[in-house]
Amino acid sequence: MEPAEAEAGGGIAAARSSPAAVQATNDDAAASKLSCVTKGYMKDDYVHHFVRRTTKRAPIINRGYYARWSVLRKLMLQFLNAGSGSDDQKRKQILSLGAGFDTTFFQLQDEGLAPYLYVELDFQEVTSKKAAIINHYNDMKEKLGPDASISIEKGEVTSTNYKLFSADIRDIPKLDAVIRMAEMDPSLPTFIIAECVLIYLDPTSTDAIVSWASEKFSSAIFFLYEQIHPDDAFGEQMIRNLERAVARDMLKIYNDFIDSGERRRIERLELFDEFEEWHMMQEHYCVAYGINDAEGIFDDFGFKE
Ligand code: SAH
């Protein structure tokens, strides 16, 4: 979450205690992504369906969102390519926790890169809105294929390759139920995304979710992108958890991991002189991932030194 988002959502503290405020951060994320798309930072042909009024964000916010989008994209593509040299290319799954209005599935589908199964979870208020929008716009609906069924009331979309369900992700038995309903196969390679969502949960819930994922999926990558607040209880707990995973701050990721050609391209898009602020801001965001590699297909996955 970037500062503008925190304001729109009433701040992280407010958001943690109020579902409506948490969901507002999702509206804000979509608006910020659209701002980036409009400026040419990245391509997303669907996010505009989720934003009522186009707003322009400051260059530093656009660059932050670009970096966030870019690192997730790069690691996700590494996952999707993993094991592709072997004879039996495995079917792959993606599970997005607190997916909000993310449109990655539809974009991947356009690019011919979508995995066998893409499952998204969020609160019902959010999934109902998302289901309504998917139902309304043909360019989205047609990506689901002829077997799709959409329930706006339940906030559910089920199709062969894409599924959207409502769930409070703190409810672990519900997660198990959803996995069954979505017909996910826990033995298939799975990429689990927690992008700007764990920060709204208490540390015990986060622990339970991470443990659940690691016990459930034997061949999986758990990806998280979060703001780091080292001084609060959540931050302390997260940092303890991160010690068991590969973690990097976004400044390092932006400088060393995002493709240099892409970086040069986006740095020419807007005048930018807030370097000090940029450094400070990016140091307070991180990406971490944990890997279960029962099949030995993730040797080439991750940040390279
Ligand atoms: N991951 C998306 C959305 C981030 S906003 C993105 O990066 O664009 C955070 C989202 O997490 C919101 O849509 C909010 O409704 C959802 N969320 C927060 N707590 C949740 C919970 N306990 N269960 C399910 N979804 C939750």
Side-chain angles (χ1 to χ4, degrees), residues 105-106 117-120 127-135 140-141 144 147-152 154-166 181-182:
F105 168 77
F106 298 89
L117 187 55
Y118 200 116
V119 180
E120 298 187 318
T127 60
S128 280
K129 280 189 209 159
K130 191 167 192 172
I133 287 166
I134 293 172
N135 189 50
M140 298 194 87
K141 203 174 175 178
L144 304 178
D147 303 328
S149 110
I150 299 178
S151 163
I152 295 167
K154 287 194 217 156
E156 273 183 30
V157 175
T158 51
S159 69
T160 312
N161 304 113
Y162 172 81
K163 295 186 164 108
L164 173 69
F165 285 108
S166 72
M181 278 195 307

Side-chain angles (χ1 to χ4, degrees), residues 5 19 22-23 25-27 29-30 33 65 68 96-102 121-123 126 167-170 193-197 200-201:
E5 233 178 293
V22 181
Q23 290 155 25
T25 68
N26 173 48
D27 292 326
K33 285 179 200 167
Y65 265 90
R68 164 175 165 183
S96 180
L97 306 172
F101 291 156
D102 188 81
L121 310 179
D122 207 300
F123 287 124
V126 175
D168 183 331
I169 59 170
R170 291 168 295 191
I193 304 169
E195 185 186 6
C196 290
V197 55
Y200 303 112
L201 314 180

Side-chain angles (χ1 to χ4, degrees), residues 208-267:
I209 292 167
V210 174
S211 305
W212 169 80
S214 117
E215 282 157 25
K216 188 96 192 165
F217 298 95
S218 54
S219 174
I221 291 160
F222 193 105
F223 165 99
L224 74 80
Y225 173 100
E226 290 297 350
Q227 197 167 357
I228 318 164
H229 293 271
D231 306 328
D232 69 6
F234 177 85
E236 283 171 19
Q237 180 66 33
M238 193 163 93
I239 284 164
R240 271 200 296 277
N241 287 340
L242 293 185
E243 281 166 4
R244 283 179 256 144
V246 177
R248 277 215 189 148
D249 74 58
M250 282 303 293
L251 188 60
K252 200 161 165 43
I253 289 173
Y254 184 79
N255 291 333
D256 301 341
F257 186 61
I258 288 175
D259 296 326
S260 55
E262 268 293 282
R263 218 167 47 224
R264 277 197 297 276
R265 180 184 69 80
I266 67 111
E267 286 180 353

